[in-house]
Amino acid sequence: MAQVLEFKLPDLGEGLTEAEIVRWLVQVGDVVAVDQPVVEVETAKAMVEVPCPYGGVVTARFGEEGAELPVGAPLLTVAVGEPAAHTEPQGSGNVLVGYGTSETPARRRRVRPTPAAASPAGRPDGTASFARTALNGTARARVGALHTEGPVPVISPLVRRLAREGGVDLRQLAGSGPDGLILRADVEDALRTRAALGSRTAEAPASTTHRPAEARPAAATASDTRDAGIRIPLKGVRGAVADKLSRSRREIPDATCWVDADATELMRARAAMNASGGPKIALLALFARICTAALARFPELNSYVDAEAREVVQLDQVHLGFAAQTERGLVVPVVRDAHARDAESLTAEFARLTEAARAGKLTPGELTGGTFTLNNYGVFGVDGSTPIINHPEAAMLGVGRIVPKPWVHDGELAVRQVVQLSLTFDHRVCDGGTAGGFLRYVADCVEQPAVLLRTL
Protein backbone atom coordinates (compact mmCIF):
# COMPACT_ATOMS: atom_id res chain seq x y z
CA MET A 1 0.00 0.00 0.00
CA ALA A 2 1.38 3.38 -0.93
CA GLN A 3 2.16 5.80 1.87
CA VAL A 4 1.52 9.54 1.50
CA LEU A 5 4.25 11.84 2.83
CA GLU A 6 3.96 15.58 3.28
CA PHE A 7 6.85 17.81 2.20
CA LYS A 8 6.93 21.20 3.91
CA LEU A 9 8.72 24.39 2.90
CA PRO A 10 12.17 23.83 4.47
CA ASP A 11 14.24 26.20 6.57
CA LEU A 12 15.71 28.60 4.02
CA GLY A 13 18.61 29.74 6.20
CA GLU A 14 20.09 33.25 6.45
CA GLY A 15 17.17 34.33 8.66
CA LEU A 16 14.60 33.88 5.90
CA THR A 17 11.19 32.80 7.18
CA GLU A 18 8.91 32.98 4.15
CA ALA A 19 8.97 32.57 0.38
CA GLU A 20 6.73 33.30 -2.57
CA ILE A 21 5.80 30.54 -5.02
CA VAL A 22 7.02 31.68 -8.42
CA ARG A 23 6.48 28.59 -10.54
CA TRP A 24 5.45 25.00 -9.93
CA LEU A 25 7.76 22.54 -11.70
CA VAL A 26 5.46 19.53 -11.23
CA GLN A 27 1.75 18.80 -11.54
CA VAL A 28 -0.51 16.56 -9.46
CA GLY A 29 -0.05 13.08 -10.90
CA ASP A 30 3.59 13.55 -11.92
CA VAL A 31 6.21 11.02 -10.89
CA VAL A 32 9.17 12.68 -9.15
CA ALA A 33 12.58 11.33 -8.27
CA VAL A 34 14.36 11.85 -4.97
CA ASP A 35 15.81 15.41 -4.83
CA GLN A 36 14.05 16.48 -8.01
CA PRO A 37 13.24 20.24 -7.96
CA VAL A 38 9.46 20.59 -7.58
CA VAL A 39 8.89 24.33 -7.13
CA GLU A 40 10.68 27.61 -7.77
CA VAL A 41 10.36 30.12 -4.94
CA GLU A 42 11.52 33.67 -4.42
CA THR A 43 12.82 34.72 -1.04
CA ALA A 44 13.89 38.16 0.04
CA LYS A 45 17.38 37.37 -1.23
CA ALA A 46 17.23 35.04 -4.21
CA MET A 47 15.12 32.89 -6.49
CA VAL A 48 15.85 29.21 -5.91
CA GLU A 49 14.49 25.76 -6.74
CA VAL A 50 13.31 23.52 -3.90
CA PRO A 51 14.12 19.80 -4.25
CA CYS A 52 11.76 17.23 -2.77
CA PRO A 53 13.48 14.61 -0.60
CA TYR A 54 10.92 11.93 -1.51
CA GLY A 55 10.37 9.96 -4.69
CA GLY A 56 6.90 8.96 -5.82
CA VAL A 57 3.65 10.36 -7.23
CA VAL A 58 2.61 13.94 -6.49
CA THR A 59 -0.87 13.76 -4.97
CA ALA A 60 -1.47 17.38 -3.91
CA ARG A 61 0.08 20.84 -4.14
CA PHE A 62 -0.49 23.61 -1.62
CA GLY A 63 -0.50 27.25 -2.70
CA GLU A 64 -0.94 28.88 -6.07
CA GLU A 65 1.78 30.72 -7.96
CA GLY A 66 2.11 34.12 -6.32
CA ALA A 67 1.14 32.86 -2.86
CA GLU A 68 3.49 33.56 0.05
CA LEU A 69 4.21 30.63 2.37
CA PRO A 70 5.92 30.59 5.78
CA VAL A 71 8.65 28.10 6.57
CA GLY A 72 7.02 24.87 7.73
CA ALA A 73 3.89 25.26 5.61
CA PRO A 74 2.98 22.24 3.42
CA LEU A 75 4.28 22.39 -0.16
CA LEU A 76 3.05 19.10 -1.57
CA THR A 77 2.31 15.48 -0.75
CA VAL A 78 3.93 12.48 -2.41
CA ALA A 79 2.67 8.91 -2.50
CA VAL A 80 5.68 6.62 -2.15
CA GLY A 81 5.93 2.92 -2.79
CA GLU A 82 5.13 0.24 -0.25
CA PRO A 83 7.82 0.27 2.47
CA ALA A 84 9.52 -2.84 3.72
CA ALA A 85 8.14 -4.44 6.88
CA HIS A 86 8.65 -2.45 10.09
CA THR A 87 10.35 0.41 8.21
CA GLU A 88 9.33 3.91 7.27
CA PRO A 89 10.04 5.54 3.90
CA GLN A 90 13.16 7.65 4.09
CA GLY A 91 13.87 10.77 2.08
CA SER A 92 17.29 11.96 1.07
CA GLY A 93 17.49 14.40 3.95
CA ASN A 94 18.38 17.15 1.51
CA VAL A 95 15.57 19.53 2.34
CA LEU A 96 17.38 22.87 2.29
CA VAL A 97 16.76 25.15 -0.65
CA GLY A 98 19.40 24.74 -3.32
CA TYR A 99 20.74 21.43 -2.03
CA GLY A 100 20.21 17.90 -3.34
CA THR A 101 22.02 14.85 -4.58
CA SER A 102 24.07 14.85 -7.74
CA GLU A 103 21.77 12.36 -9.42
CA THR A 104 20.03 13.53 -12.57
CA PRO A 105 16.28 13.94 -11.93
CA ALA A 106 14.09 11.45 -13.72
CA ARG A 107 12.00 12.61 -16.64
CA ARG A 108 8.49 13.50 -15.54
CA ARG A 109 5.66 11.27 -16.69
CA ARG A 110 1.97 11.68 -16.13
CA VAL A 111 0.05 8.99 -14.23
CA ARG A 112 -3.49 8.78 -12.94
CA PRO A 113 -3.49 9.01 -9.12
CA THR A 114 -5.33 6.33 -7.19
CA PRO A 115 -8.35 7.25 -5.09
CA ALA A 116 -6.30 6.72 -1.92
CA ALA A 117 -3.57 9.02 -3.19
CA ALA A 118 -6.05 11.69 -4.19
CA SER A 119 -7.03 12.17 -0.53
CA PRO A 120 -3.74 12.07 1.41
CA ALA A 121 -3.91 11.03 5.05
CA GLY A 122 -7.69 10.78 4.85
CA ARG A 123 -8.07 14.45 3.90
CA PRO A 124 -10.18 15.47 0.92
CA ASP A 125 -8.59 17.25 -1.98
CA GLY A 126 -10.05 20.43 -0.48
CA THR A 127 -6.80 20.87 1.47
CA ALA A 128 -5.27 22.42 -1.62
CA SER A 129 -8.16 24.85 -1.94
CA PHE A 130 -7.81 25.65 1.77
CA ALA A 131 -4.16 26.49 1.22
CA ARG A 132 -5.10 28.76 -1.64
CA THR A 133 -7.68 30.50 0.51
CA ALA A 134 -5.53 30.80 3.61
CA LEU A 135 -2.25 31.69 1.99
CA ASN A 136 -3.10 33.51 -1.24
CA GLY A 137 -1.45 36.92 -1.22
CA THR A 138 -4.63 38.78 -2.18
CA ALA A 139 -7.40 37.02 -0.26
CA ARG A 140 -6.28 35.40 3.00
CA ALA A 141 -8.80 33.80 5.30
CA ARG A 142 -8.41 34.71 8.95
CA VAL A 143 -7.70 31.59 10.98
CA GLY A 144 -6.72 31.05 14.59
CA ALA A 145 -7.71 32.91 17.70
CA LEU A 146 -6.62 36.29 19.02
CA HIS A 147 -3.57 36.15 21.31
CA THR A 148 -4.67 37.72 24.58
CA GLU A 149 -1.89 36.38 26.80
CA GLY A 150 1.79 35.67 26.40
CA PRO A 151 3.98 36.58 23.41
CA VAL A 152 2.30 37.04 20.06
CA PRO A 153 3.63 34.57 17.44
CA VAL A 154 4.95 36.63 14.53
CA ILE A 155 6.77 35.22 11.51
CA SER A 156 9.68 37.68 11.59
CA PRO A 157 11.00 40.81 13.35
CA LEU A 158 10.27 42.69 10.11
CA VAL A 159 6.54 42.02 10.55
CA ARG A 160 6.68 43.11 14.18
CA ARG A 161 8.40 46.35 13.19
CA LEU A 162 5.89 46.94 10.39
CA ALA A 163 3.08 46.61 12.91
CA ARG A 164 4.79 48.91 15.40
CA GLU A 165 5.46 51.62 12.83
CA GLY A 166 1.91 51.37 11.49
CA GLY A 167 0.33 51.42 14.95
CA VAL A 168 -1.24 47.95 14.57
CA ASP A 169 -1.99 46.03 17.78
CA LEU A 170 -0.82 42.49 17.04
CA ARG A 171 -3.07 41.11 19.77
CA GLN A 172 -6.07 42.21 17.74
CA LEU A 173 -5.00 40.16 14.70
CA ALA A 174 -5.86 36.55 13.98
CA GLY A 175 -2.88 35.23 12.04
CA SER A 176 -3.44 33.30 8.82
CA GLY A 177 -0.30 31.19 9.19
CA PRO A 178 0.01 27.79 10.84
CA ASP A 179 -1.28 27.80 14.44
CA GLY A 180 -2.34 31.42 14.10
CA LEU A 181 1.12 32.69 13.12
CA ILE A 182 0.88 36.34 12.07
CA LEU A 183 2.32 36.93 8.59
CA ARG A 184 3.36 40.14 6.90
CA ALA A 185 0.23 40.03 4.75
CA ASP A 186 -1.94 40.01 7.89
CA VAL A 187 -0.41 43.28 9.07
CA GLU A 188 -0.61 44.79 5.58
CA ASP A 189 -4.28 43.81 5.33
CA ALA A 190 -4.95 45.50 8.67
CA LEU A 191 -3.19 48.66 7.50
CA ARG A 192 -5.16 48.71 4.24
CA THR A 193 -8.45 48.16 6.08
CA ARG A 194 -7.72 50.96 8.52
CA ALA A 195 -6.71 53.29 5.69
CA ALA A 196 -9.94 52.54 3.82
CA LEU A 197 -12.03 53.19 6.93
CA GLY A 198 -10.14 56.41 7.59
CA SER A 199 -10.72 57.56 4.01
CA ARG A 200 -14.46 56.96 4.29
CA THR A 201 -14.58 58.72 7.67
CA ALA A 202 -12.73 61.71 6.29
CA GLU A 203 -15.11 61.97 3.33
CA ALA A 204 -18.30 61.64 5.41
CA PRO A 205 -18.46 65.29 6.67
CA ALA A 206 -18.01 66.52 3.13
CA SER A 207 -21.33 64.95 2.14
CA THR A 208 -23.20 66.93 4.84
CA THR A 209 -21.38 70.22 4.45
CA HIS A 210 -23.16 72.75 2.27
CA ARG A 211 -20.60 73.65 -0.39
CA PRO A 212 -21.04 75.16 -3.80
CA ALA A 213 -22.02 72.42 -6.23
CA GLU A 214 -19.08 73.12 -8.48
CA ALA A 215 -16.57 72.42 -5.66
CA ARG A 216 -17.65 68.82 -5.11
CA PRO A 217 -16.45 67.28 -8.40
CA ALA A 218 -12.93 68.65 -7.80
CA ALA A 219 -12.59 66.71 -4.51
CA ALA A 220 -13.93 63.57 -6.14
CA THR A 221 -11.51 63.97 -9.04
CA ALA A 222 -8.54 64.29 -6.67
CA SER A 223 -9.57 61.13 -4.84
CA ASP A 224 -10.05 59.28 -8.11
CA THR A 225 -6.61 60.38 -9.25
CA ARG A 226 -4.98 58.98 -6.12
CA ASP A 227 -6.68 55.64 -6.52
CA ALA A 228 -6.14 55.32 -10.27
CA GLY A 229 -2.41 54.53 -10.15
CA ILE A 230 -0.77 51.13 -10.49
CA ARG A 231 0.06 49.50 -7.15
CA ILE A 232 3.20 47.36 -7.15
CA PRO A 233 3.75 45.24 -4.01
CA LEU A 234 7.09 45.73 -2.26
CA LYS A 235 7.94 42.07 -1.76
CA GLY A 236 10.60 39.56 -2.67
CA VAL A 237 13.92 41.07 -3.74
CA ARG A 238 12.39 44.53 -4.26
CA GLY A 239 10.91 44.50 -0.77
CA ALA A 240 14.17 43.33 0.79
CA VAL A 241 16.07 46.12 -0.99
CA ALA A 242 13.53 48.68 0.24
CA ASP A 243 13.82 47.48 3.83
CA LYS A 244 17.62 47.42 3.78
CA LEU A 245 17.99 50.85 2.21
CA SER A 246 15.47 52.35 4.62
CA ARG A 247 17.37 50.88 7.55
CA SER A 248 20.67 52.18 6.18
CA ARG A 249 19.26 55.69 5.82
CA ARG A 250 17.85 55.62 9.36
CA GLU A 251 20.92 54.23 11.11
CA ILE A 252 24.03 55.31 9.20
CA PRO A 253 25.22 58.94 9.24
CA ASP A 254 26.81 58.87 5.81
CA ALA A 255 28.92 61.40 3.96
CA THR A 256 30.31 61.47 0.43
CA CYS A 257 33.52 62.79 -1.08
CA TRP A 258 34.57 62.57 -4.72
CA VAL A 259 37.44 63.31 -7.08
CA ASP A 260 38.10 63.26 -10.83
CA ALA A 261 40.95 61.03 -11.97
CA ASP A 262 42.83 60.56 -15.23
CA ALA A 263 42.24 56.90 -16.13
CA THR A 264 44.24 56.99 -19.38
CA GLU A 265 47.14 54.94 -18.03
CA LEU A 266 44.84 52.41 -16.39
CA MET A 267 43.03 51.88 -19.69
CA ARG A 268 46.38 51.43 -21.46
CA ALA A 269 47.53 48.92 -18.85
CA ARG A 270 44.32 46.91 -19.29
CA ALA A 271 44.70 46.96 -23.10
CA ALA A 272 48.26 45.66 -22.77
CA MET A 273 47.15 42.88 -20.40
CA ASN A 274 44.38 41.80 -22.77
CA ALA A 275 46.73 41.86 -25.75
CA SER A 276 49.02 39.28 -24.14
CA GLY A 277 46.85 36.36 -25.26
CA GLY A 278 45.63 35.30 -21.81
CA PRO A 279 42.12 35.58 -20.38
CA LYS A 280 40.58 39.01 -20.81
CA ILE A 281 40.66 41.18 -17.71
CA ALA A 282 37.54 43.15 -16.81
CA LEU A 283 37.87 46.79 -15.89
CA LEU A 284 35.78 46.11 -12.78
CA ALA A 285 38.39 43.55 -11.70
CA LEU A 286 41.12 46.20 -11.84
CA PHE A 287 39.05 48.55 -9.70
CA ALA A 288 38.45 45.67 -7.30
CA ARG A 289 42.23 45.11 -6.99
CA ILE A 290 42.67 48.80 -6.30
CA CYS A 291 39.89 48.66 -3.66
CA THR A 292 41.44 45.76 -1.77
CA ALA A 293 44.86 47.45 -1.80
CA ALA A 294 43.31 50.67 -0.49
CA LEU A 295 41.41 48.80 2.25
CA ALA A 296 44.68 47.22 3.39
CA ARG A 297 45.98 50.77 3.93
CA PHE A 298 42.75 52.11 5.41
CA PRO A 299 41.16 49.17 7.30
CA GLU A 300 38.72 51.49 9.07
CA LEU A 301 36.55 51.33 5.95
CA ASN A 302 36.39 47.52 5.95
CA SER A 303 34.26 47.40 9.08
CA TYR A 304 30.80 47.74 10.58
CA VAL A 305 29.33 49.35 13.68
CA ASP A 306 28.03 47.14 16.49
CA ALA A 307 25.42 49.57 17.77
CA GLU A 308 24.52 47.56 20.87
CA ALA A 309 28.14 47.26 22.02
CA ARG A 310 28.98 50.76 20.70
CA GLU A 311 32.02 49.34 18.93
CA VAL A 312 33.51 49.57 15.46
CA VAL A 313 34.41 46.07 14.27
CA GLN A 314 37.29 46.02 11.76
CA LEU A 315 37.35 42.90 9.59
CA ASP A 316 40.38 40.92 8.46
CA GLN A 317 38.93 39.67 5.17
CA VAL A 318 37.48 41.63 2.28
CA HIS A 319 34.25 40.19 0.90
CA LEU A 320 33.56 42.57 -1.95
CA GLY A 321 29.99 43.26 -2.99
CA PHE A 322 29.23 44.73 -6.39
CA ALA A 323 25.99 46.16 -7.73
CA ALA A 324 24.37 44.12 -10.51
CA GLN A 325 21.23 45.28 -12.33
CA THR A 326 18.80 42.50 -13.27
CA GLU A 327 15.25 42.26 -14.57
CA ARG A 328 14.14 41.65 -11.00
CA GLY A 329 15.92 44.75 -9.68
CA LEU A 330 19.27 45.65 -8.21
CA VAL A 331 21.14 42.92 -6.33
CA VAL A 332 24.56 42.92 -4.71
CA PRO A 333 26.42 39.61 -5.14
CA VAL A 334 29.49 39.12 -2.97
CA VAL A 335 32.97 38.01 -4.09
CA ARG A 336 34.44 36.08 -1.19
CA ASP A 337 38.05 36.77 -0.16
CA ALA A 338 38.52 39.39 -2.85
CA HIS A 339 41.78 40.49 -1.20
CA ALA A 340 43.31 37.07 -1.98
CA ARG A 341 42.37 37.04 -5.68
CA ASP A 342 44.25 38.32 -8.69
CA ALA A 343 42.68 40.23 -11.58
CA GLU A 344 42.04 37.06 -13.58
CA SER A 345 40.28 35.30 -10.69
CA LEU A 346 38.23 38.41 -9.94
CA THR A 347 37.16 38.69 -13.58
CA ALA A 348 35.97 35.08 -13.61
CA GLU A 349 34.07 35.44 -10.34
CA PHE A 350 32.41 38.70 -11.42
CA ALA A 351 31.25 36.99 -14.61
CA ARG A 352 29.92 33.93 -12.78
CA LEU A 353 27.99 35.91 -10.19
CA THR A 354 26.61 38.35 -12.76
CA GLU A 355 25.29 35.50 -14.91
CA ALA A 356 23.71 33.85 -11.87
CA ALA A 357 22.14 37.18 -10.83
CA ARG A 358 20.55 37.74 -14.23
CA ALA A 359 19.22 34.17 -14.23
CA GLY A 360 17.84 34.60 -10.72
CA LYS A 361 19.97 31.71 -9.48
CA LEU A 362 22.04 33.39 -6.77
CA THR A 363 21.96 31.58 -3.44
CA PRO A 364 21.33 33.47 -0.19
CA GLY A 365 24.98 32.89 0.73
CA GLU A 366 26.11 34.68 -2.44
CA LEU A 367 24.06 37.74 -1.54
CA THR A 368 25.13 38.20 2.07
CA GLY A 369 28.25 38.76 4.13
CA GLY A 370 29.77 41.64 2.15
CA THR A 371 32.22 43.98 3.94
CA PHE A 372 32.63 46.67 1.25
CA THR A 373 30.76 47.47 -1.97
CA LEU A 374 32.03 48.55 -5.38
CA ASN A 375 29.37 50.29 -7.46
CA ASN A 376 30.11 50.78 -11.17
CA TYR A 377 27.27 53.17 -12.03
CA GLY A 378 29.24 54.34 -15.06
CA VAL A 379 27.58 51.51 -17.01
CA PHE A 380 24.38 53.59 -16.88
CA GLY A 381 26.10 56.48 -18.62
CA VAL A 382 26.32 58.74 -15.56
CA ASP A 383 29.33 60.49 -14.04
CA GLY A 384 28.56 60.58 -10.32
CA SER A 385 26.28 59.40 -7.55
CA THR A 386 25.78 59.59 -3.79
CA PRO A 387 24.53 56.04 -3.10
CA ILE A 388 23.05 54.63 0.09
CA ILE A 389 25.50 52.40 1.94
CA ASN A 390 24.76 48.67 1.85
CA HIS A 391 23.91 48.14 5.53
CA PRO A 392 25.75 47.15 7.74
CA GLU A 393 28.88 47.94 5.74
CA ALA A 394 30.82 51.14 6.36
CA ALA A 395 31.56 52.38 2.85
CA MET A 396 30.95 52.14 -0.87
CA LEU A 397 33.18 53.20 -3.77
CA GLY A 398 31.40 54.52 -6.82
CA VAL A 399 32.91 54.57 -10.32
CA GLY A 400 31.42 56.78 -12.99
CA ARG A 401 31.74 56.50 -16.76
CA ILE A 402 35.19 56.94 -18.33
CA VAL A 403 34.99 59.56 -21.07
CA PRO A 404 37.41 61.78 -23.02
CA LYS A 405 37.73 65.23 -21.39
CA PRO A 406 40.11 68.19 -21.49
CA TRP A 407 42.83 67.63 -18.89
CA VAL A 408 46.10 69.29 -17.97
CA HIS A 409 48.76 66.62 -18.48
CA ASP A 410 52.48 67.33 -18.07
CA GLY A 411 51.73 71.04 -18.01
CA GLU A 412 49.77 71.03 -21.24
CA LEU A 413 46.11 70.81 -22.11
CA ALA A 414 45.26 67.41 -23.59
CA VAL A 415 42.33 65.09 -24.12
CA ARG A 416 42.46 62.32 -21.51
CA GLN A 417 40.20 59.48 -20.32
CA VAL A 418 38.65 60.89 -17.14
CA VAL A 419 36.56 59.14 -14.47
CA GLN A 420 34.79 60.49 -11.41
CA LEU A 421 35.30 58.46 -8.23
CA SER A 422 33.11 58.86 -5.15
CA LEU A 423 33.29 57.39 -1.68
CA THR A 424 30.24 57.26 0.57
CA PHE A 425 31.24 56.32 4.12
CA ASP A 426 29.84 55.89 7.61
CA HIS A 427 31.07 58.93 9.53
CA ARG A 428 31.01 56.90 12.75
CA VAL A 429 33.90 54.67 11.65
CA CYS A 430 36.24 57.43 10.48
CA ASP A 431 36.60 61.13 9.80
CA GLY A 432 37.03 62.93 6.51
CA GLY A 433 40.81 62.63 6.63
CA THR A 434 40.71 58.83 6.48
CA ALA A 435 38.01 58.82 3.81
CA GLY A 436 39.90 61.39 1.77
CA GLY A 437 43.13 59.43 2.12
CA PHE A 438 41.43 56.26 0.90
CA LEU A 439 39.90 58.00 -2.11
CA ARG A 440 43.13 59.81 -2.98
CA TYR A 441 45.04 56.51 -2.93
CA VAL A 442 42.42 54.94 -5.24
CA ALA A 443 42.74 57.91 -7.63
CA ASP A 444 46.56 57.66 -7.59
CA CYS A 445 46.36 53.97 -8.53
CA VAL A 446 43.96 54.82 -11.37
CA GLU A 447 46.24 57.56 -12.69
CA GLN A 448 49.49 55.65 -12.16
CA PRO A 449 48.94 51.86 -11.99
CA ALA A 450 52.60 51.48 -10.95
CA VAL A 451 51.54 52.80 -7.53
CA LEU A 452 49.48 49.66 -7.09
CA LEU A 453 52.33 47.42 -8.17
CA ARG A 454 54.60 48.89 -5.49
CA THR A 455 52.11 47.82 -2.79
CA LEU A 456 51.69 44.21 -3.92
Side-chain angles (χ1 to χ4, degrees), residues 287-303 314-321 338-339 371-374 394-397 423 438 441-442:
F287 276 105
R289 291 289 292 116
I290 293 173
C291 273
T292 57
L295 289 172
R297 286 184 164 234
F298 301 91
E300 299 93 333
L301 294 168
N302 192 53
S303 64
Q314 291 188 13
L315 303 167
D316 297 330
Q317 298 174 313
V318 179
H319 301 316
L320 188 66
H339 60 287
T371 64
F372 186 92
T373 296
L374 176 61
M396 177 185 296
L397 178 70
L423 178 71
F438 175 93
Y441 177 79
V442 170

Side-chain angles (χ1 to χ4, degrees), residues 158 243 255 259 271 288 301 308 346 417 423:
L158 174 62
D243 294 336
V259 66
L301 294 168
E308 293 185 1
L346 286 167
Q417 300 292 321
L423 178 71

Side-chain angles (χ1 to χ4, degrees), residues 40-324:
E40 189 177 62
V41 301
E42 182 179 23
T43 70
K45 295 179 179 177
M47 188 180 298
V48 291
E49 293 181 345
V50 182
C52 179
Y54 310 119
V57 179
V58 177
T59 58
R61 301 186 318 190
F62 302 100
E64 297 178 339
E65 294 179 355
E68 201 170 70
L69 302 182
V71 169
L75 271 178
L76 50 75
T77 54
V78 178
V80 301
E82 181 177 0
H86 309 298
T87 63
E88 294 291 330
Q90 298 294 322
S92 68
N94 297 315
V95 295
L96 292 178
V97 170
Y99 292 85
T101 65
S102 58
E103 297 177 2
T104 302
R107 183 182 301 274
R108 298 191 310 176
R109 62 185 178 89
R110 191 85 171 171
V111 300
R112 183 181 301 277
T114 64
S119 300
R123 295 177 300 181
D125 194 51
T127 52
S129 63
F130 168 79
R132 287 194 293 270
T133 302
L135 296 171
N136 187 278
T138 57
R140 298 171 187 261
R142 296 297 180 192
V143 297
L146 298 180
H147 306 280
T148 57
E149 297 181 357
V152 180
V154 178
I155 193 168
S156 72
L158 174 62
V159 174
R160 195 176 296 277
R161 188 185 73 202
L162 180 65
R164 183 175 63 251
E165 293 176 350
V168 175
D169 185 356
L170 292 174
R171 295 190 181 278
Q172 300 302 314
L173 294 184
S176 62
D179 299 322
L181 185 69
I182 296 177
L183 310 180
R184 180 167 57 190
D186 299 327
V187 176
E188 292 173 345
D189 287 347
L191 290 172
R192 282 193 293 268
T193 300
R194 188 176 64 184
L197 291 174
S199 176
R200 286 196 291 269
T201 302
E203 292 175 359
S207 62
T208 59
T209 301
H210 297 286
R211 296 181 181 178
E214 61 273 10
R216 294 173 189 164
T221 302
S223 177
D224 293 343
T225 302
R226 284 196 306 271
D227 297 336
I230 299 174
R231 294 179 177 267
I232 303 174
L234 278 175
K235 61 181 182 178
V237 172
R238 186 72 260 170
V241 170
D243 294 336
K244 195 166 190 179
L245 294 181
S246 297
R247 182 179 182 184
S248 178
R249 184 59 81 194
R250 286 194 307 269
E251 298 183 5
I252 299 179
D254 59 345
T256 301
C257 54
W258 56 90
V259 66
D260 289 342
D262 180 1
T264 305
E265 295 304 321
L266 181 67
M267 299 297 286
R268 287 176 178 170
R270 175 175 176 255
M273 295 169 69
N274 289 341
S276 64
K280 301 297 183 183
I281 302 301
L283 184 61
L284 188 64
L286 296 182
F287 276 105
R289 291 289 292 116
I290 293 173
C291 273
T292 57
L295 289 172
R297 286 184 164 234
F298 301 91
E300 299 93 333
L301 294 168
N302 192 53
S303 64
Y304 69 92
V305 173
D306 186 337
E308 293 185 1
R310 293 185 63 82
E311 295 176 340
V312 176
V313 182
Q314 291 188 13
L315 303 167
D316 297 330
Q317 298 174 313
V318 179
H319 301 316
L320 188 66
F322 67 99

Side-chain angles (χ1 to χ4, degrees), residues 2-21:
Q3 182 172 1
V4 177
L5 301 179
E6 184 178 72
F7 175 46
K8 299 179 180 180
L9 181 65
D11 183 356
L12 307 175
E14 298 290 342
L16 302 174
T17 56
E18 57 190 3
E20 177 183 340
I21 296 176

